Amino acid sequence: MTKKLSLIAVIALLIISCTDDIVSIVIDKITFDQNELKLTVGEKKTLTATILPEDATNKTLTWSSNDKSVADVNDSGVVTGTGAGTTTIFVTSANKVQASCIVIVEPIAVDVLATGITLNKPSLTLSIGETETLTATIIPDNTTNNTLTWSSDNENVADVNNAGVVTAIATGTATVTVTTVNNIKATCLIIVGEEQNVYVAGYAWNADNKTIAKVWKNGEDLYSLTTGSNSAEAHSVYFANDNVYVAGFEGNVAKLWINTVAQSLSDGTKLAEAKSVFVSDADVYVAGYERNENLKTVAKVWKNGNPIPITDGTKDAQANSVFVLGSDVYVAGYEANESGIIMAKYWKNGVSYSLGGNFDVTNATSIYVSGSDVHVAGYKISNNKHTAILWTNGTAKNLTNGSRNASAYSVYVAKNNDVYVAGNEANSNGYYTIAKIWKNGALLEELTDGTQWAYANSIVVTENNIYVAGQETNTNNKSVAKIWKDGEEQTLTDGTKDARAMSIFVK
């Protein structure tokens, strides 16, 4: 019996000895798989805690939330958003090592539905092949789902893509509809007409430093009217009866070109220039001037090639623009007074109407007649400063204040009777010029930034677009012929040689 008790005691001592040799490994660090957790009210996301060292003896963790009204957490690290706000989730080991994660709980988004939608244009007139972007405005502006669906009820006439870009395909009408996700709609009537062709007349210098009269169509060279053996300029273009009519000069000879066929309006013995052309039915009118034997310039109109002097040749005069309405022929230009001062005038059927005063130099550059209203663009020079002017029925309106040099070169009346003028004005430094458009006597748009010399020489307004022809110098001080359509420029020449776009016609 005594031996058995001794054996038991020995075994007990061995067990106690082994137990004393076991070492406890404690947690040194806890990390989360993310430092910040975002969720909405009611949403659940799991945080994963990593214990270091991995072989820690006691891996028991306690999870807690600093603010259970914002987010709560269970023993598995599943975080539940309970209310909007920010709180901190903690995880703590048995030996008080801790890690934390910021939890941001956002409120459940409430859908704000559209109550209305508008388009920037109720109707749109395009030519075949043209595109234009419609802009939709959703009401209210905090609508949560701004998805829009665009559609056309006649895709054979006009198509529209998901960005609201309308493409004119064929003549006719179509209605473009934009629809919100909750079926709120807006519409735009699309009217598609025949393709518009844009003709520009002007001139460019050749390698021999002589000018060549040119015509561009739709931004591309159509043809050169002259070879460059003599300097020539094209000043005006008109399209009618399937023909392109251009007025200008070559050498000393005033000329009219019909397509590429030249007609001499003067014999070349004295300087003459054709400045403007207008076609009315089958009659072709050209305005310009020719010197007489006393070296005075005589303002003239050529009708079907036959010259009609509108001044007597005793004083210098020039016809710059011609416009025909019905049986009435209107001409704008100038004639010197008895003191030799250049005075702006217009003539109606040969009867002159003075536009200038008795002391300032004035010049009428362009004329447009709409109904009973006679609109004339031009400028005056006073105190060595040019002021752009629009005369309506003889009453002058200054388009600029006279502090900087400015001129108006072209006037056009739109179908809605808005009056547009193209010209230029010196920049704030008084050196370079800015090509400009005025509408109804107020500045509408600056086409250039004033860092170069720029001229807006001619303007045409269609139902949907504003076209301007002119030129602007480049960084090499070469004049580049350009057109602007709704303010967007298109170059006609490459800028290696000087060139000018003097007249534009849209058909």
Side-chain angles (χ1 to χ4, degrees):
M1 181 67 179
T2 303
K3 291 181 178 179
K4 287 183 179 179
L5 289 172
S6 299
L7 180 60
I8 290 171
V10 170
I11 292 170
L13 288 170
L14 288 172
I15 292 172
I16 292 169
S17 176
C18 290
T19 303
D20 288 343
D21 290 340
I22 295 174
V23 177
S24 177
I25 301 174
V26 299
I27 295 174
D28 292 330
K29 185 178 182 181
I30 305 173
T31 60
F32 278 131
D33 58 334
Q34 48 196 314
N35 296 321
E36 184 179 277
L37 184 67
K38 290 185 178 181
L39 63 164
T40 57
V41 174
E43 188 178 6
K44 296 178 183 291
K45 289 185 179 180
T46 299
L47 283 173
T48 301
T50 300
I51 296 171
L52 295 175
E54 295 180 355
D55 58 349
T57 303
N58 187 350
K59 297 182 179 181
T60 302
L61 297 176
T62 302
W63 295 80
S64 61
S65 171
N66 192 49
D67 187 348
K68 291 185 177 182
S69 68
V70 175
D72 201 0
V73 62
N74 66 15
D75 291 339
S76 299
V78 178
V79 181
T80 303
T82 56
T86 301
T87 188
T88 303
I89 297 296
F90 297 98
V91 64
T92 308
S93 68
N95 62 325
K96 305 305 180 184
V97 175
Q98 195 173 70
S100 64
C101 176
I102 301 297
V103 176
I104 301 170
V105 181
E106 297 176 346
I108 298 174
V110 177
D111 284 339
V112 179
L113 298 177
T115 58
I117 186 171
T118 61
L119 288 171
N120 59 321
K121 293 186 178 181
S123 64
L124 188 60
T125 301
L126 297 173
S127 299
I128 294 173
E130 281 191 315
T131 62
E132 183 151 338
T133 301
L134 291 173
T135 302
T137 301
I138 300 173
I139 302 169
D141 57 9
N142 65 335
T143 300
T144 52
N145 191 337
N146 293 321
T147 302
L148 297 175
T149 302
W150 296 83
S151 62
S152 169
D153 70 347
N154 193 347
E155 293 181 349
N156 293 325
V157 171
D159 197 8
V160 62
N161 67 13
N162 291 333
V165 179
V166 179
T167 301
I169 297 170
T171 58
T173 60
T175 299
V176 165
T177 302
V178 60
T179 308
T180 66
V181 290
N182 60 323
N183 208 36
I184 305 296
K185 301 176 185 287
T187 61
C188 177
L189 176 64
I190 310 299
I191 303 168
V192 180
E194 294 291 342
E195 180 181 2
Q196 288 184 328
N197 290 312
V198 180
Y199 297 89
V200 176
Y203 52 96
W205 275 258
N206 63 12
D208 297 325
N209 206 32
K210 291 185 177 180
T211 52
I212 299 173
K214 297 180 70 69
V215 177
W216 295 268
K217 179 182 178 182
N218 299 331
E220 303 290 337
D221 270 336
L222 183 59
Y223 41 68
S224 295
L225 296 170
T226 57
T227 63
S229 57
N230 294 307
S231 284
E233 297 179 9
H235 283 274
S236 178
V237 63
Y238 201 102
F239 184 90
N241 308 320
D242 293 325
N243 293 314
V244 180
Y245 299 82
V246 176
F249 70 88
E250 184 177 16
N252 285 337
V253 182
K255 287 197 172 183
L256 169 69
W257 290 271
I258 302 176
N259 301 316
T260 58
V261 178
Q263 177 184 358
S264 295
L265 301 176
S266 61
D267 60 14
T269 59
K270 301 175 185 64
L271 178 65
E273 292 187 17
K275 307 290 285 186
S276 176
V277 61
F278 194 102
V279 180
S280 177
D281 297 326
D283 294 322
V284 182
Y285 298 83
V286 177
Y289 70 91
E290 184 176 15
R291 278 185 181 160
N292 61 16
E293 60 278 0
N294 297 319
L295 300 182
K296 297 293 185 182
T297 54
V298 181
K300 288 187 176 184
V301 173
W302 289 267
K303 180 181 179 181
N304 300 325
N306 299 310
I308 305 170
I310 56 176
T311 57
D312 62 11
T314 58
K315 298 178 288 292
D316 281 320
Q318 184 169 307
N320 294 319
S321 178
V322 60
F323 192 98
V324 180
L325 183 63
S327 60
D328 295 321
V329 179
Y330 297 82
V331 177
Y334 68 80
E335 185 177 20
N337 64 12
E338 297 299 333
S339 301
I341 298 174
I342 299 299
M343 308 298 298
K345 286 189 173 184
Y346 79 88
W347 293 262
K348 178 181 178 182
N349 300 325
V351 177
S352 68
Y353 298 85
S354 180
L355 297 172
N358 293 321
F359 304 104
D360 293 332
V361 172
T362 51
N363 187 17
T365 56
S366 176
I367 190 167
Y368 197 107
V369 183
S370 176
S372 59
D373 293 324
V374 180
H375 304 277
V376 179
Y379 58 87
K380 71 176 180 179
I381 305 174
S382 181
N383 298 320
N384 293 319
K385 292 289 185 182
H386 289 63
T387 301
I389 296 179
L390 172 66
W391 290 273
T392 300
N393 300 325
T395 300
K397 179 177 180 58
N398 291 349
L399 302 177
T400 57
N401 62 18
S403 62
R404 293 179 278 172
N405 282 323
S407 298
Y409 298 118
S410 180
V411 60
Y412 195 97
V413 181
K415 287 186 176 180
N416 61 359
N417 291 321
D418 286 331
V419 182
Y420 294 81
V421 176
N424 69 351
E425 185 177 19
N427 65 11
S428 58
N429 295 325
Y431 185 63
Y432 292 115
T433 54
I434 304 169
K436 294 188 175 187
I437 301 172
W438 293 268
K439 178 182 177 182
N440 299 327
L443 180 64
L444 176 66
E445 185 175 8
E446 293 183 345
L447 299 173
T448 59
D449 61 9
T451 59
Q452 300 291 335
W453 297 101
Y455 294 81
N457 298 321
S458 180
I459 187 168
V460 170
V461 181
T462 65
E463 289 185 9
N464 201 51
N465 304 110
I466 301 173
Y467 297 86
V468 176
Q471 67 270 356
E472 183 180 20
T473 55
N474 59 18
T475 54
N476 295 321
N477 203 33
K478 295 296 183 182
S479 181
V480 181
K482 295 184 177 184
I483 57 175
W484 290 268
K485 179 183 177 183
D486 301 326
E488 294 186 12
E489 72 170 43
Q490 179 182 10
T491 58
L492 302 177
T493 56
D494 63 10
T496 58
K497 296 289 183 181
D498 285 309
R500 295 176 181 175
M502 301 302 296
S503 175
I504 191 166
F505 192 95
V506 180
K507 178 63 175 179

